[in-house]
Amino acid sequence: MGYLQGDKPITISKLLSMHAAGEKIAMLTAYDSTMSALLNRCGVESILIGDSLGNVIQGHSSTTPVTIEQVAYHTACVVRSNSQAFVISDLPFASYGDPTQALESAAQLMQAGADMVKLEGGGDWQIDIIEHLVKRSVPVCAHLGLLPQSVHVLGGYKVQGKSKDVASLMHEQALACEAAGAQMLVLEAIPSSLGKLITASLTIPTIGIGAGPDCSGQVLVLQDMLGISPGKPPKFVKDFMDGHTSIEAAVKAYVREVKSGRFPGPEHGFAG
Ligand code: KIV
């Protein structure tokens, strides 16, 4: 490839212009090359190498054991067969505790092929990290609501932002993430009304997972939406294999339903 030639059609500029035009963004997780190729064939616009790989791939009960080397390894696997999608990789637990460590960790993910890194939380110290990374040309996706890396502090996987105080703090944090330079924001397990309010207050796209139908796009863990994760799925998950006879047909249905606004339905959301 020649110098100054991009390698993929879906860039951050493309996602931002889709968002400006009111077109929904379809994102899914993937951790390996075969699934990455399949998501590319199905028109998934962004692939997240989530630290959910700790649960889904490694069999842990939380994401906290996941290391930066592991996310970098899975990022490289996904990128090898990705020709279309915008790739976001998670900075895992305790890999961005201070600006120097955050930049070193982000560099590992970008060097493995990530187009953007994601980090959890919108407190003062995370805002400083976002600003530090963005100033050094690392594109950042923020993540608010249910923060799986904080599960041991939260005492379980619970819907966040139900009380007025927490909802208004989250709203302020979302504005601070955007002001610090984040170009995307994942909202996880919050009331649909709060997802709507935050999305309307920002210019950057919000990507919901249990945050209602008004987010700018949606993401699910691939194994969840294929109905193959063990145990009871969270309320915000829809099993797209139901009614489809192949993984490819299920993923295409997900993309169609996200883009048409059919998914998520009211049954996948939380009340305030
Ligand atoms: O790790 C992950 O897969 C995530 C999504 C659930 C948003 O952060």
Side-chain angles (χ1 to χ4, degrees), residues 29 31 48 50-52 90 118 120 143 186 188 209 219 221:
T29 66
Y31 318 99
L48 172 65
D51 59 358
S52 52
D90 261 343
K118 176 163 82 60
E120 294 185 8
H143 182 153
V186 165
E188 180 163 1
I209 172 163
V219 61
V221 168

Side-chain angles (χ1 to χ4, degrees), residues 66-189:
V66 177
T67 66
I68 190 71
E69 288 77 17
Q70 291 164 350
V71 182
Y73 168 80
H74 286 281
T75 298
C77 294
V78 164
V79 164
R80 263 176 227 126
S81 59
N82 179 51
S83 59
Q84 306 284 319
F86 187 74
V87 171
I88 305 176
S89 295
D90 261 343
L91 285 166
F93 176 70
S95 72
Y96 50 99
D98 62 59
T100 305
Q101 186 199 22
L103 185 58
E104 279 168 14
S105 299
Q108 281 196 57
L109 300 185
M110 302 291 287
Q111 283 157 3
D115 299 313
M116 176 176 263
V117 302
K118 176 163 82 60
L119 60 84
E120 294 185 8
D124 290 347
W125 72 267
Q126 287 103 331
I127 296 299
D128 288 346
I129 300 285
I130 293 172
E131 224 166 60
H132 185 78
L133 293 179
V134 170
K135 278 188 183 151
R136 285 154 187 80
S137 302
V138 178
V140 175
C141 174
H143 182 153
L144 297 177
L146 174 58
L147 308 178
Q149 291 174 14
S150 303
V151 64
H152 301 302
V153 176
L154 297 171
Y157 298 105
K158 298 173 188 161
V159 178
Q160 302 294 308
K162 284 189 142 218
S163 76
K164 246 184 156 174
D165 287 355
V166 178
S168 104
L169 176 64
M170 205 184 299
H171 187 201
E172 278 169 28
Q173 291 183 340
L175 293 167
C177 289
E178 174 169 304
Q183 287 177 293
M184 228 183 273
L185 171 64
V186 165
L187 293 172
E188 180 163 1

